[in-house]
């Protein structure tokens, strides 16, 4: 394992003003997104849509890495350039989602375990050859206090799988993005989210240590600390920023090069405002950045609407979100920038 190399890839993705585009929707998920714009989810439509994002001029100022789905890793641009090569040539590091999704955890109704470890070593070798420099694995933790969810067991099982994945990635020369997502679905309060997120992160770093994962060659992709969508009391931007920063400072070792948030169902504007507020509050041992899927793509997806006539409009919408999140990296974003 070349720790220096892993560390330099991790740091490049969260360089000044930069974050990550999560464009790794699985086939069922991208179909859901395309359904919203009445566009059929064919292999060609998915290729055209993602090409639109990847060929947005100037996006590389704000996007240091792009997470791809397996299908996209093997696709090419109109000019027959493989997407990983195209991204590399623009200075955006290509990576790959390697988990096989969250499945029901036997014996624990309502909880999930992420699958995909069997055969992962061989898959990672193949992805690396195709040009992937990093990988992503998403663990999912739900909160349903009335049912005792999350259980201690589900937290441990998911952290264990994340750590096994991360160790295999580093062995293969890929930077693991470690993503334990505490969902914002449900009625829980911001305090409940904070308590669960803290427990999850403590367990994740315990398991990473047990599995001998070198933290300098990883990135953490956590949820922000936020009230559940159905909670009657919603926290304001400042409260989310304070609770999130506190939770991360309590749990994430300083050896980690970067924390890159998922957006998890926040609106695009909320995700940017929250990131900005966290960065405006002070300095941290790690870079604090984004790895947004929906919060970077909702606007370009709508602007494109599946029409070849709207490619430029889609690119403009994507550029705007990338830029505003880039500004939020240093607390320079203002909501007035949303207009125009
Ligand atoms: P969202 O930002 O839409 O939550 O997606 C990020 C992601 O990659 C989830 O695994």
């Amino acid at each position: 394992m070349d720790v220096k190399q892993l560390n330099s890839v991790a740091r490049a993705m969260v360089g000044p003003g930069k974050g990550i585009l999560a464009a790794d929707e699985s086939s069922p998920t991208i179909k859901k997104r395309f359904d919203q714009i009445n566009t059929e989810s064919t292999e060609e439509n998915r290729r055209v849509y993602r090409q639109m994002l990847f060929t947005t001029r100037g996006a590389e100022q704000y996007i240091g890495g792009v997470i791809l789905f397996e299908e996209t890793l093997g696709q090419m641009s109109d000019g027959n350039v493989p997407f990983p090569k195209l991204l590399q040539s623009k200075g955006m590091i290509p990576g790959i989602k390697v988990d096989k999704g969250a499945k029901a955890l036997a014996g624990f109704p309502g909880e999930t375990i992420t699958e995909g470890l069997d055969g992962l070593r061989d898959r990672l070798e193949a992805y690396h050859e195709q040009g992937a420099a990093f990988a992503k694995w998403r663990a999912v933790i739900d909160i349903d206090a009335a049912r005792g969810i999350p259980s201690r067991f589900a937290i441990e099982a998911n952290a264990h799988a994340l750590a096994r994945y991360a160790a295999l990635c580093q062995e293969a020369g890929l930077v693991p993005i470690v993503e334990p997502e505490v969902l914002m679905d449900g009625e829980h309060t911001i305090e409940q989210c904070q308590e669960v997120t803290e427990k999850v992160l403590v367990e994740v770093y315990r398991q990473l240590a047990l599995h001998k994962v070198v933290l300098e060659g990883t990135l953490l992709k956590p949820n922000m600390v936020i009230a559940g969508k159905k909670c009657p009391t919603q926290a304001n931007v400042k409260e989310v920023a304070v609770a999130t920063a506190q939770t991360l400072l309590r749990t994430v070792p300083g050896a980690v090069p970067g924390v890159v948030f998922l957006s998890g169902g926040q609106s695009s504007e909320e995700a940017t405002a929250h990131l900005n507020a966290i960065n405006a509050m002070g300095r941290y041992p790690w870079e604090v950045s984004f790895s947004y899927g929906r919060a970077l793509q909702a606007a370009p997806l709508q602007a494109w609407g599946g029409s070849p006539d709207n490619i430029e409009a889609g690119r403009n919408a994507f550029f705007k979100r990338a830029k505003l999140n880039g500004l939020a990296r240093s607390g320079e974003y203002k909501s007035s920038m949303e207009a125009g």
Side-chain angles (χ1 to χ4, degrees):
M1 181 198 316
D2 185 343
V3 176
K4 262 199 176 148
Q5 171 66 14
L6 291 172
N7 177 250
S8 86
V9 169
R11 282 189 302 132
M13 286 195 278
V14 292
K18 287 188 186 180
I20 295 170
L21 164 66
D24 60 328
E25 297 82 4
S26 62
S27 302
T29 303
I30 194 74
K31 183 181 178 310
K32 265 196 261 167
R33 307 276 186 266
F34 278 18
D35 282 349
Q36 292 164 355
I37 54 164
N38 296 316
T39 298
E40 201 188 339
S41 181
T42 61
E43 188 177 341
E44 176 60 5
N45 282 344
R46 293 190 291 269
R47 188 191 71 82
V48 166
Y49 170 65
R50 281 152 173 165
Q51 173 174 258
M52 174 184 89
L53 301 175
F54 305 160
T55 55
T56 295
R57 277 175 302 280
E60 62 276 9
Q61 291 169 257
Y62 312 110
I63 303 292
V66 180
I67 317 175
L68 306 172
F69 188 56
E70 192 174 31
E71 174 188 275
T72 320
L73 190 73
Q75 284 177 322
M76 293 197 227
S77 70
D78 291 347
N80 289 332
V81 182
F83 279 145
K85 244 198 171 144
L86 178 99
L87 292 167
Q88 274 159 359
S89 72
K90 296 189 67 181
M92 298 188 283
I93 299 172
I96 169 91
K97 165 201 178 77
V98 302
D99 67 70
K100 297 276 188 191
K103 307 287 159 63
L105 178 60
F108 292 80
E111 300 197 271
T112 60
I113 180 74
T114 300
E115 295 187 348
L117 288 170
D118 285 356
L120 182 58
R121 175 177 274 132
D122 295 337
R123 284 199 290 133
L124 290 173
E125 197 182 310
Y127 297 147
H128 197 222
E129 272 169 30
Q130 281 180 278
F134 71 94
K136 183 194 99 170
W137 177 289
R138 174 173 174 257
V140 181
I141 303 289
D142 208 352
I143 301 181
D144 187 347
R147 296 170 73 196
I149 293 175
S151 64
R152 181 79 228 152
F153 184 83
I155 292 174
E156 283 175 11
N158 276 289
H160 187 268
L162 269 171
R164 279 195 60 201
Y165 139 83
L168 284 164
C169 283
Q170 292 195 329
E171 181 191 87
L174 292 152
V175 171
I177 295 187
V178 174
E179 179 179 9
E181 174 172 6
V182 177
L183 294 177
M184 63 183 283
D185 303 340
E187 296 170 11
H188 56 271
T189 62
I190 186 169
E191 289 82 10
Q192 286 173 302
C193 178
Q194 179 163 22
E195 189 187 326
V196 171
T197 302
E198 204 170 303
K199 265 191 209 155
V200 168
L201 291 176
V202 166
E203 184 59 22
V204 164
Y205 283 102
R206 191 178 82 90
Q207 289 292 343
L208 290 173
L210 288 172
H211 286 76
K212 301 188 179 177
V213 173
V214 181
L215 297 183
E216 287 82 351
T218 67
L219 291 173
L220 175 70
K221 177 163 175 167
N223 51 286
M224 291 182 189
V225 173
I226 204 165
K229 269 189 216 152
K230 291 193 215 137
C231 179
T233 316
Q234 290 292 320
N236 64 33
V237 171
K238 180 83 191 184
E239 288 163 342
V240 170
V242 169
T244 302
Q246 187 177 56
T247 301
L248 294 173
L249 285 167
R250 283 174 179 170
T251 55
V252 184
V256 175
V259 170
V260 291
F261 292 108
L262 58 97
S263 59
Q266 301 176 52
S267 73
S268 305
E269 293 79 7
E270 280 168 348
T272 308
H274 287 149
L275 177 64
N276 189 68
I278 295 166
N279 277 310
M281 279 187 334
R283 293 192 61 78
Y284 302 94
W286 0 261
E287 296 296 323
V288 176
S289 187
F290 57 90
S291 174
Y292 293 157
R294 283 162 285 180
L296 279 168
Q297 293 187 58
L301 189 72
Q302 282 300 324
W304 172 58
S307 162
D309 298 335
N310 295 335
I311 293 283
E312 225 24 62
R315 286 184 177 133
N316 290 340
F318 174 54
F319 182 82
K320 177 176 168 184
R321 294 272 34 111
K323 180 175 177 174
L324 295 183
N325 284 303
L327 291 171
R329 289 277 282 106
S330 49
E332 289 169 76
Y333 162 82
K334 290 186 184 55
S335 58
S336 57
M337 295 170 177
E338 294 290 349

